[in-house]
Amino acid sequence: MATMAVLLGHANGEFCLHQQLAEKLAGLGVTSVTVVRNEQTVGIILEGWLFDPARSASAAAAVGAPPGAPVLHPILQAAVSTAADEGGPDAEKMS
């Protein structure tokens, strides 16, 4: 799944996902929007199976980012597990 994050340096730390914006993002292939923030910055994480990060300028502009705003693209995605190694007949072959 394609993912990108847009950082907005809004002083008030607010962001609104209104219907028109949601429709525009959906048109770009975005299926999931996550908003994170602190006192100075709003981060908008966009994800979608049909989302093309090459069109990230359109997506960044859609969420209100000015030209040159920081846009982050993933470099690593990993899953972690607490499952114990159970061994088994093929355990040595895998190591």
Side-chain angles (χ1 to χ4, degrees):
M1 178 176 327
T3 303
M4 72 174 245
V6 180
L7 302 178
L8 304 176
H10 292 160
N12 60 7
E14 294 179 4
F15 173 77
C16 178
L17 182 62
H18 52 80
Q19 182 176 351
Q20 184 179 18
L21 174 55
E23 290 171 357
K24 182 166 187 163
L25 292 173
L28 293 171
V30 173
T31 56
S32 175
V33 177
T34 303
V35 180
V36 294
R37 64 169 281 232
N38 64 17
E39 293 79 23
Q40 297 86 24
T41 305
V42 173
I44 299 131
I45 301 155
L46 307 172
E47 297 178 302
W49 291 106
L50 297 177
F51 177 52
D52 181 2
R55 298 185 318 197
S56 62
S58 297
V63 296
V71 174
L72 307 176
H73 297 276
I75 57 169
L76 172 71
Q77 183 174 5
V80 297
S81 172
T82 59
D85 181 10
E86 297 293 326
D90 294 330
E92 290 183 19
K93 292 179 186 176
M94 294 178 68
S95 36

